[in-house]
Amino acid sequence: MLENNLITRQWFGFLSKCSTCTQLLDSVNDWTVRDRRSVDVIYFDFAKAFDSVSHPKFVHMLGAYGICGNLLNILTDFLFDRSQRVVLSNAASTFLPVTSSIPQGSVLGLVLFLIYINDIVDLFDGSDICVKLYADDIKIYLEITNDTDCATLQTFIDKITVWLHSWQLKLANNKCQHSRIGLSRSICPVDYYVSDVKLPTVHNV
C-alpha cells in the first residue's frame, strides 16, 4: 500500500500543472470501473460567466466563508469602483460603472470566480452524483441502472438551474450537452432538459 501511495503522489506531482489532464484521468477512471454499466454525463457551460458575477452577492458569500477585515477590503477594492467604455477607431463612449463581473486575465480573478461557484457542490451532498468543476465548466455524472436514476439526474439538473438563477448566472444552452458512457444496451436512451431546452446527446465533447 505504501508503495502504491508513493507512486500516486509522484504521478500527480508530475501533473501538478496539468489540472485539465488530472481531472480527465480521474473522470475516465470513474467511468471505466462500472463493470460495463452505463454512466450519463451532463456538461454545463456558463454564458459570460466572469461578467455575470454580482458584486453584492459575492461580498455576502465572502462573509459567509469567514473572510473579513483587511482581506475583505482588499478583495472588494479589487472588484468595486471600476468603469469601462467602448473605443472604436478614434471614437469612444463615455465611461460607465461596472456593477458586476470579476476582472479576467489574473490569477486572483479565477480564484474569486471559483469561490463564487464553489458551493454549488453542496447541492450534491448525500447523493450518488459526482460533480467536477474546472473554471467556468461543470460536469455531473451518475451510473444509470434504471429509469429512476435518469429521473434523479434530471432532478439535479433542475437544482443547478435554480442555483444559477439565485446567483444571477446563466448557462450557454448551446454548449450544454449529454453523453452516455458505457457498453450497456439495457437502459433506453433518455432526454435531459435544462430550462425546457433539450440537451443534445453527443459522442464527442
Side-chain angles (χ1 to χ4, degrees), residues 43-45 171-178 194 198-200:
Y43 297 88
F44 299 93
D45 194 287
L171 291 173
N173 289 336
N174 60 323
K175 295 182 180 180
C176 298
Q177 300 170 325
H178 158 245
V194 172
K198 179 182 174 182
L199 294 178

Side-chain angles (χ1 to χ4, degrees), residues 50 58 76 98 130 143 167 182 202:
F50 286 78
F58 187 58
T76 53
V98 177
C130 294
E143 182 178 307
W167 291 98
V202 298

Side-chain angles (χ1 to χ4, degrees), residues 128-202:
D128 293 325
I129 294 178
C130 294
V131 56
K132 298 288 174 65
L133 308 179
Y134 186 78
D136 60 346
D137 295 315
I138 299 174
K139 67 170 172 277
I140 65 174
Y141 52 89
L142 177 67
E143 182 178 307
I144 303 299
T145 58
N146 51 47
D147 292 341
T148 300
D149 293 329
C150 297
T152 298
L153 191 55
Q154 179 63 60
T155 296
F156 280 90
I157 293 172
D158 296 337
K159 287 186 176 183
I160 288 177
T161 304
V162 172
W163 184 93
L164 291 170
H165 179 74
S166 298
W167 291 98
Q168 296 179 229
L169 295 173
K170 295 182 179 180
L171 291 173
N173 289 336
N174 60 323
K175 295 182 180 180
C176 298
Q177 300 170 325
H178 158 245
S179 183
R180 174 159 289 182
I181 310 295
L183 302 175
S184 174
R185 298 291 183 266
S186 60
I187 306 298
C188 294
V190 66
D191 293 329
Y192 295 100
Y193 294 84
V194 172
S195 300
D196 298 324
V197 176
K198 179 182 174 182
L199 294 178
T201 298
V202 298

Side-chain angles (χ1 to χ4, degrees), residues 4-78:
N4 290 339
N5 287 340
L6 180 60
I7 292 173
T8 300
R9 286 198 299 272
Q10 289 174 341
W11 175 241
F12 283 101
F14 176 72
L15 295 173
S16 61
K17 297 183 180 180
C18 303
S19 300
T20 308
C21 183
T22 306
Q23 187 187 116
L24 183 59
L25 285 171
D26 187 54
S27 299
V28 170
N29 179 70
D30 250 4
W31 299 336
T32 54
V33 296
R34 302 289 176 168
D35 192 26
R36 300 172 66 88
R37 286 171 287 186
S38 295
V39 176
D40 275 358
V41 188
I42 309 296
Y43 297 88
F44 299 93
D45 194 287
F46 291 112
K48 299 181 179 179
F50 286 78
D51 295 334
S52 303
V53 172
S54 164
H55 290 167
K57 290 189 175 184
F58 187 58
V59 172
H60 170 77
M61 181 174 288
L62 290 174
Y65 277 118
I67 297 175
C68 57
N70 289 335
L71 178 57
L72 181 61
N73 292 335
I74 291 171
L75 295 179
T76 53
D77 285 346
F78 182 71

